Amino acid sequence: MDATQIAKQMLGFQKTVFDNSFNAMVVVQDQSETMISNMISQFPWSTEETKKQMNETFAYTKNARDDFKKAIDEGYAQIGKLFDQK
């Protein structure tokens, strides 16, 4: 087995670990969002403005999370292209 093949396998393993960790983080964030939304909706002093701001914060977090994932995926793709060049 040559060094390029070993490096490609290591890269694949690292990408799999990242994807699994990222997916676990997404689940935790989504469940936290649901829990916080439910909790805030039960407070008698929470207003529509509060709920609107929380929803905007959640949307911003999801967009940032998606942008981060996209950047990492593009990085793995670029590194993969380097290994394919021979």
Side-chain angles (χ1 to χ4, degrees), residues 15 18-19 22 25-26 62-78:
K15 182 171 180 359
F18 172 78
D19 288 341
F22 185 84
M25 180 195 67
V26 167
K62 286 180 182 178
N63 287 336
R65 181 178 72 195
D66 293 341
D67 290 345
F68 175 72
K69 176 76 164 108
K70 182 180 174 185
I72 295 296
D73 287 343
E74 288 174 2
Y76 277 117
Q78 292 296 323

Side-chain angles (χ1 to χ4, degrees), residues 2-54:
D2 66 337
T4 304
Q5 186 66 23
I6 293 170
K8 284 172 108 175
Q9 286 181 346
M10 288 173 50
L11 183 67
F13 175 73
Q14 289 174 349
K15 182 171 180 359
T16 301
V17 169
F18 172 78
D19 288 341
N20 290 338
S21 300
F22 185 84
N23 291 337
M25 180 195 67
V26 167
V27 168
V28 169
Q29 284 182 339
D30 289 345
Q31 288 182 353
S32 297
E33 176 186 336
T34 302
M35 182 184 69
I36 289 170
S37 293
N38 290 338
M39 185 177 69
I40 287 179
S41 68
Q42 293 178 7
F43 289 153
W45 59 83
S46 67
T47 63
E48 288 301 317
E49 181 65 26
T50 303
K51 294 174 187 175
K52 179 183 171 191
Q53 288 178 352
M54 289 301 296

